[in-house]
Amino acid sequence: MKSGQVFLIISNRDQLMRSLKGTQKAQLKQPCPAVANETSGSLKAHSVKPQQLCPGIAKESFTGKTPPDEETEGLSIILPVTKKDCKPRPFGKEGINFTYVKHNVLQPETGVLDLISPCHEYKSFATAATLDRTRLQAKFAKEVIRFGTGCMNMRSNGTIHFGVMDSRGDMGYVHGEIIGIPVPEKDMYVDALDHIERCCSSSDAEHIRRCIRPPQFIEVTDLSAEDRTYVVEVDIVPLVSIVRHKVYAVRLPNFNEKSNKVAHEKETIYWRVGASTKPVDDLSEFYQQVPERDTLREAAENRPSATVPEAYQDLGRKLTMLITGGRKYIDKGQWFILVTNRFGSEDLNNIEFLMNLNILCVFDFDPDSNVSGFCQKYQKHHAANLHFLHNYMQSEMTVGEFQKQMHLFEQTSWIFCNGRTDFRKGELPSDDMTWFKTKKTQLKECVSLICKQILPKGTFTLVFLLTSPVEGPLLHTYSEFFADMGGHEDIVCISESEENFEKWQSFAGGSFCDEGTVAHSSVVGMKMSHVNATLLRIQSVASRTFKHLPTYVRGECLLETREEEKMSSLEILYMDHSDETREDFITAEKENIEQHFYLGGQVSWLNFWLAEKKHVGEVIRRDAYHEVSDLLSDCLKAKDQPHTQGLNIFHHPGSGGSTVARQVLWNSRKKLRCAVVKPSYSAVTVSEHAHHLRKYEENDITKCVPVLLLVEDCDDEFLDELKFELEMATKRQRIVHGTLCFIILSCQRSYNPEKMCKESPLHNVQVTHKLSDEEKRQFASKRTMLEQQYKPEFILTFVLMSEGFDHQKIVEYVEHFVRNLLVGIDRTTVVTRLIHYVAMLNTYVQNSFLSQSHCEALLALPIYLEGSHLMQDEVREQFCRRVFEEALTEPARLVLIHLRDERTHIKSIRMIHPLVAKEILQQLLCHQKQESELALELLCNNVLFEHRFGREDYKKFLRALFMKRDRVSKGDEADSFFSPLIEHVRDTESVEKAIDLLKEAYKRFDKDPLFAQHLARLYCSEEKFEEAERWAEIAAKRLPNHPFVLHTKGQVYRKWFQAKVVALKKQRKTAENLVDAIQTAVKAMDCFQDSQRAAIEAAESMSYSGFFAAVEVGCGLLKLFFTSCVFSDKEECERYLLTNYIPEDVRKPWESLHTKLKGLQSVIHKALEWVSEDLSFFQTDTSTDEEDSEDPVKNPKKWLMDNSVRYGKYFCGPEDVTKSNMPTLVMVRMKIHQLGGGNMTTIFSLVTGQKNRDQVKTLENIISLYKLLKGTMDQIDTVNYIMANIALSCLSTHSKALASLKDLQDLSQRFLNNKQKSQTKALFLLTVLFWPEEHDSEEVKEEKYDLVLSAVRHLSRRYHDKMKDIPTRKRKICTLFFLGSGSGLDKIVHKSRVGSATASQPVSEKKMRWYHGEGWKMPEIARQLKRVSGWTENGKVYLEGRQRSEFTVLAHNIASVPYSNENVTFYLGFTMRGPMAYNVTVTK
């Protein structure tokens, strides 16, 4: 039987055992299956009866009795037992260093051979082992003494084995089969030999004692049992110096059941006859042969050892081949897993070779390892995370989340497998039996997780370091890895001690494969110091890698690897980066490294290093490199600057932007501390690590080398948050303002880099496909040189770049290249299918790839590689490495580029360029297949979808293929309504096929409700509203609190309503035929209100979509009413909607709708109010969350103004309300809305926008309308009236309609009565109106400060309620007014007047100028605004003037606040959170 078959038996064992309970009764009535007659290697086929496989229940099975469930559940009786031949313990060796495997078979019993080779006798002892102490000892002594004296009388060595079947009276087992016996107390067996003195004379007893050695207890391994069993063996060594001239007669002990005591048989002389021990029949002849036996024994003892000396082994070469897989050096991308037990002090001094290996995890069975062992030593050089086995019991996390939590691939995971003595929680070590009961399952899950989900086979080597005696749990670890790794080929054992290895070999060879295979993969007898020296020599980097960083005083400091690994979110670029690379590695790999880059692979630090050291040609420096370098130099030279500066590179995809960015870092590494920010880390973590890097080994935290951080392809939110976190940490460290600490170099793809560069020329650099004349010259020269080394197809990406990506040339070149490539290609092969799949993913999903493990699974390579473990090691590794490439066709090798994850080193592939991928996709289809068919084929491919390694990445890309929409804000060329693939299929094939794809995706991804949402949207876009409604219902049922899903459901009804309204244009609109449309609109309104609720309740996001849509549907419904023939006139319609009045014509038809329709005006009004308040609180940058909506509003303020006017128009009555005979309050308020005075946001929109209107006149009209309300004004009316006056004062301070500040203060007194119930806007007005003025007396100032502070406390609570758990970078507070230098209403300066000073500048440039304080220095600002005085203490700003208590003012830019206690001045802004300090400046 091959090892693969053994592996299958082992791996299926647990599954069979789990099914046992449910099938036990049926199984017990059937004969157990026999073992197939197979012979392979040393494995013997044995004929077995049913009882042999079911020894524990044989009697019950065939008598019709059923054992109880609790007994049968854990048995492996229905398993076919694999019985392998095995060798006995070496004669004379200690049993502790050896182990047997249950059901393996020893060679048959033997008689006397050459007197030195022992004869063997087996005893099952199964019944006797369960007897009490007296009976057991008598039985054991009887068998030992009989066998022992028999061997002594024959002068032959011998061994008697207890726990091995002898097939006499033990039916059901083969002869020599190891079963083991329980040994609760070993001393029972040792003390049993005290019977010797009672069995013979004292002189004979002394001889027998000297010849019968003490019992040896050899553990029996049974993977399915938890109880420990042993084979007890006794060796007999009759030295001639003891037994010469003697014959030994004994009276064997026997327990007499009648007398209940031990009796002795008559004296008898025993001898060995064949394989048995029998009494001597002819004593005379026996005595005559004694001298001859003595002579033979003496000759045998004096005979030189016949043992053939072991053949010389080159252990150094063997070790090298096993660790490297046949290479000349250890691959830097190879991962290692170590399994160790206790290290000796000498061994700990010789483990330097382990320090440069990529060690994923260590299974450590030494509980003192962190105190005085390997773990403590390792942590002096590397960071390690200390875990226990139960930490790997994965819960609901994905594999990616688990890896992130455990920091796998970044820091070594140190797994204490048998307790840890220094851990305070009490993880104490346990004995073997306790370990098997408590930790065996944990170990199994841990090993399974690593081997089946984290590391693919072939990407890691498992190394057992046996530095102390081997125990059962460590052996069990081997069995679990063997089963999950599917064989022995990637397992290496290193043991200096031969005794330790023997037990290991007997277990491994006896359990899973032959001992020869184990020995072949093991290095035994090599001193650890020799192992250390040998492996240091073959590492691809120098044994001691010294890494240096620049320091502030122009010196260098040593970067310890342990400290580097603690900064796991950063890939640190040190001064002597790659200098440790060995010469032989350079010689062997430099061409491959260079070709990989020019074929389209990402540039590596080794590319720059090889060019710098002149091993290869230089890497071209594009013009953008020089531009970024110049901007970087300007940053370093500037004096008064913020702590964190930002530079941005925007590049066309595939134009070399990433190369430019990394070139800048490479050439800055000796003057700056440089690092690349790794993806998937939070800004908080990156900030923490960046600060650690900055201050590492520096004496003064204020005098450090700036850190240059490269951030690639991240969104603006992450950049903003990172800057914020860096600034906050800098502030906490009290670093003086003006000290440059960090430069963030952002590199992002963009389809319009020129536009981005124009927006902020001082901070942005563009990299496009278009080459300058100088770049064309450089590329042409480099291309000529490369084409002398490589064929053009091997440097395709470089060739495309050298053409400047001229569209026509590129199209022709790529089309020609692909056409030639595909000539004669077999389109039916699996390799072609692989090319097609990768091409589709790379065409439609940015940065997608397919793991090599997925590719191998698709190509069925695991089956092809199954026998590779039979090869020589040096051949096997090369074979496995080449099998994948050889499985690919020539076209595939040309267009697929190999990638390696920088963190995990797991390999993957993608097309060499997106243009090539797109062209291959089209040409391979070639009218024979449509893209929808290919996409469906890819989606339904079970091999790829269910393959476990790289599963999360693959599913993410596959999901994106069908779901992810393009967004310009994310760097895409245009916004899309569906994923680019779905839109392409819809536009070029048919809507039905696009729908079919989404339906299959819905099923494939476990009925993901977000796919149901997309189906609803797609059906809705095609006006198939019934189906759209069905899918929207499915999505909403699964995600009842998802604001965007609920919004989609509302959109279905909204568009359905619009379609019904269009249909009604062709007929007369009566009450009856409007019912259907109205019902649909009401459903839409209900959905949007649910969406509003969900959005408000969502803790970490906010969406306006439900509010916008509710207003628009409501206004659409109003338009339908006012344009229909249902009501006699507009006034009747208003009466119906605003009062209890119901016209007879609609009473019956609209019976179920009256309540909803009479609440319509309130729903619209509340939505408008909510949007207005939110826009007053926060800045109006479009949120990224809003992009998930179907139609995000790009300009919310303009939308609010337009819809407020639209809403007011329907209820305002005649054009001039003042001329109405009896203008109602509702008519007045609606007229105010129509003019734009209905809420705070629209009122101030009249100040900043509406250039085509007479803004002053409009505001005067609004104020006059509010005056009509007189004493009926509620709080909202009062707030809006005051706001209208403030707005008017911003435009015309001399208007007659304008109220005085005193009048407005008096009017706002009503807000003071109950601040708890006052609106947020009312509290905000209190802070503005009652801000003290210069002419106020001290007493009046104190009263006003008290009032303002009270309002601020309430505002602060409202602000935090509004913010929820949303990061401040996503919802930035909006400053509405500034404190001006005038008095009265003139002291209130609207923000638009401040911003107008930089109105002509680009938006991003304008933001930077204000943020860094440059805008505040302009003279027009100083004229308009008033600087107030205060002081700073502990990083907080306090206002001067308050007498009773301190008045804390929030700082807009925290970084501008000095850390020391200083006198300062600042400008004061008013926000919905309270007053805010701008441009905090220390008073000289």
Side-chain angles (χ1 to χ4, degrees), residues 88-92 100 106-123 143-144 146-162 175 233-238 270-278 297:
R89 171 185 58 87
F91 185 74
Y100 287 126
L106 294 171
Q107 295 297 316
E109 294 170 309
T110 58
V112 176
L113 300 173
D114 59 2
L115 305 184
I116 299 299
S117 298
C119 48
H120 294 272
E121 185 167 308
Y122 305 143
K123 298 295 178 185
E143 298 296 346
V144 171
R146 176 169 57 190
F147 175 76
T149 55
C151 290
M152 291 169 68
N153 288 330
M154 295 300 294
R155 309 302 192 251
S156 174
N157 291 347
T159 302
I160 183 169
H161 308 254
F162 296 89
H175 179 73
E233 298 182 345
V234 180
D235 290 341
I236 315 297
V237 187
Y270 291 96
W271 69 326
R272 290 290 292 174
V273 180
S276 302
T277 303
K278 296 181 178 181
R297 176 71 193 191

Side-chain angles (χ1 to χ4, degrees), residues 114-332:
D114 59 2
L115 305 184
I116 299 299
S117 298
C119 48
H120 294 272
E121 185 167 308
Y122 305 143
K123 298 295 178 185
S124 71
F125 217 60
T127 303
T130 62
L131 299 174
D132 59 51
R133 188 181 187 95
T134 303
R135 289 177 172 83
L136 183 149
Q137 288 183 332
K139 177 67 174 173
F140 181 74
K142 176 181 179 180
E143 298 296 346
V144 171
I145 293 169
R146 176 169 57 190
F147 175 76
T149 55
C151 290
M152 291 169 68
N153 288 330
M154 295 300 294
R155 309 302 192 251
S156 174
N157 291 347
T159 302
I160 183 169
H161 308 254
F162 296 89
V164 180
M165 288 299 161
D166 56 6
S167 291
R168 286 176 293 182
D170 292 304
M171 299 301 293
Y173 294 92
V174 299
H175 179 73
E177 183 175 344
I178 296 167
I179 59 163
I181 56 174
V183 182
E185 300 176 61
K186 293 181 180 179
D187 65 311
M188 284 201 304
Y189 290 87
V190 176
D191 295 345
L193 296 186
D194 292 345
H195 279 284
I196 292 174
E197 279 71 22
R198 303 187 205 96
C199 294
C200 56
S201 65
S202 59
S203 59
D204 284 356
E206 181 184 352
H207 289 180
I208 294 172
R209 276 282 191 184
R210 293 172 63 186
C211 294
I212 296 179
R213 300 292 169 85
Q216 296 293 326
F217 301 90
I218 296 88
E219 187 175 349
V220 176
T221 301
D222 183 2
L223 297 176
S224 62
E226 293 185 353
D227 296 327
R228 185 182 297 184
T229 58
Y230 297 86
V231 169
V232 182
E233 298 182 345
V234 180
D235 290 341
I236 315 297
V237 187
L239 296 175
V240 70
S241 59
I242 299 172
V243 301
R244 190 187 303 274
H245 306 313
K246 294 286 293 183
V247 173
Y248 299 94
V250 291
R251 292 177 286 110
L252 297 179
N254 206 357
F255 189 85
N256 191 311
E257 293 294 339
K258 291 183 179 180
S259 62
N260 199 34
K261 63 181 181 180
V262 177
H264 292 84
E265 299 176 359
K266 67 176 183 177
E267 190 173 78
T268 307
I269 297 173
Y270 291 96
W271 69 326
R272 290 290 292 174
V273 180
S276 302
T277 303
K278 296 181 178 181
V280 175
D281 295 329
D282 190 342
L283 293 175
S284 175
E285 182 182 354
F286 187 79
Y287 274 101
Q288 290 176 7
Q289 294 176 351
V290 168
E292 181 183 353
R293 292 192 189 98
D294 289 343
T295 302
L296 291 172
R297 176 71 193 191
E298 186 173 17
E301 289 181 13
N302 294 329
R303 188 166 57 239
S305 175
T307 304
V308 178
E310 284 189 20
Y312 164 77
Q313 281 193 29
D314 186 346
L315 291 181
R317 174 175 170 75
K318 183 178 183 181
L319 177 64
T320 300
M321 293 298 103
L322 288 173
I323 294 297
T324 66
R327 303 182 187 90
K328 294 180 180 179
Y329 49 83
I330 298 174
D331 186 358
K332 291 175 72 174

Side-chain angles (χ1 to χ4, degrees), residues 1106-1123:
F1107 298 94
F1108 293 145
V1111 171
E1112 289 173 354
V1113 172
C1115 288
L1117 201 51
L1118 291 176
K1119 181 180 178 181
L1120 178 65
F1121 291 155
F1122 285 111
T1123 58

Side-chain angles (χ1 to χ4, degrees), residues 1095-1368:
I1096 293 171
E1097 291 175 357
E1100 297 179 353
S1101 64
M1102 188 61 231
S1103 168
Y1104 296 110
S1105 301
F1107 298 94
F1108 293 145
V1111 171
E1112 289 173 354
V1113 172
C1115 288
L1117 201 51
L1118 291 176
K1119 181 180 178 181
L1120 178 65
F1121 291 155
F1122 285 111
T1123 58
S1124 68
C1125 304
V1126 175
F1127 301 100
S1128 59
D1129 55 23
K1130 184 180 178 182
E1131 185 177 346
E1132 185 182 29
C1133 182
E1134 290 174 0
R1135 283 180 63 203
Y1136 170 70
L1137 293 171
L1138 300 176
T1139 67
N1140 293 328
Y1141 168 71
I1142 301 176
E1144 286 302 318
D1145 290 346
V1146 301
R1147 185 178 296 277
K1148 189 66 178 174
W1150 296 2
E1151 186 176 7
S1152 61
L1153 300 169
H1154 294 313
T1155 304
K1156 291 283 185 182
L1157 295 179
K1158 290 182 179 296
L1160 181 61
Q1161 180 268 338
S1162 176
V1163 171
I1164 298 173
H1165 182 74
K1166 287 178 180 177
L1168 290 171
E1169 271 298 309
W1170 194 94
V1171 173
S1172 171
E1173 182 171 302
D1174 219 54
L1175 292 177
S1176 302
F1177 255 103
F1178 305 108
Q1179 296 178 22
T1180 56
D1181 295 342
T1182 304
S1183 167
T1184 52
D1185 291 335
E1186 201 67 43
E1187 292 178 2
D1188 291 331
S1189 174
E1190 277 100 282
D1191 51 353
V1193 175
K1194 300 299 182 184
N1195 190 336
K1197 288 186 177 179
K1198 183 178 184 303
W1199 176 92
L1200 185 63
M1201 172 60 85
D1202 293 344
N1203 283 277
S1204 293
V1205 171
R1206 184 180 171 198
Y1207 156 70
K1209 181 179 68 175
Y1210 290 115
F1211 296 102
C1212 65
E1215 184 64 28
D1216 188 349
V1217 177
T1218 59
K1219 295 180 181 178
S1220 175
N1221 293 328
M1222 282 186 59
T1224 65
L1225 298 180
V1226 173
M1227 288 169 59
V1228 173
R1229 288 191 173 101
M1230 291 301 115
K1231 185 61 180 179
I1232 291 172
H1233 268 283
Q1234 186 184 4
L1235 293 174
N1239 56 65
M1240 178 176 175
T1241 306
T1242 55
I1243 288 171
F1244 283 98
S1245 293
L1246 293 170
V1247 176
T1248 57
Q1250 310 297 316
K1251 300 300 181 184
N1252 57 335
R1253 299 172 67 175
D1254 185 343
Q1255 298 150 281
V1256 173
K1257 181 65 175 175
T1258 303
L1259 284 167
E1260 288 175 342
N1261 288 339
I1262 291 171
I1263 291 171
S1264 65
L1265 286 169
Y1266 273 116
K1267 288 178 179 178
L1268 289 177
L1269 299 176
K1270 297 178 182 178
T1272 61
M1273 282 199 294
D1274 58 18
Q1275 192 174 107
I1276 294 177
D1277 294 328
T1278 305
V1279 167
N1280 290 339
Y1281 172 72
I1282 295 172
M1283 291 292 185
N1285 275 275
I1286 295 174
L1288 180 57
S1289 73
C1290 293
L1291 296 175
S1292 174
T1293 56
H1294 304 294
S1295 173
K1296 293 179 180 179
L1298 201 59
S1300 67
L1301 175 62
K1302 181 69 171 62
D1303 292 338
L1304 298 181
Q1305 288 175 337
D1306 293 341
L1307 196 58
S1308 62
Q1309 288 288 337
R1310 65 183 68 179
F1311 305 152
L1312 301 175
N1313 298 331
N1314 191 346
K1315 297 190 188 72
Q1316 193 73 33
K1317 293 183 179 179
S1318 292
Q1319 285 201 340
T1320 305
K1321 291 177 285 188
L1323 296 170
F1324 166 74
L1325 277 176
L1326 291 177
T1327 65
V1328 177
L1329 295 174
F1330 287 93
W1331 191 263
E1333 298 184 66
E1334 291 289 344
H1335 58 77
D1336 290 335
S1337 66
E1338 292 300 319
E1339 184 180 354
V1340 172
K1341 283 184 180 179
E1342 283 300 304
E1343 290 177 359
K1344 287 185 176 181
Y1345 278 133
D1346 286 341
L1347 192 155
V1348 170
L1349 275 172
S1350 176
V1352 168
R1353 282 192 289 271
H1354 285 88
L1355 283 174
S1356 182
R1357 285 194 288 270
R1358 307 276 179 91
Y1359 167 78
H1360 289 294
D1361 290 343
K1362 199 89 171 169
M1363 278 296 296
K1364 301 183 285 188
D1365 295 331
I1366 303 171
T1368 52

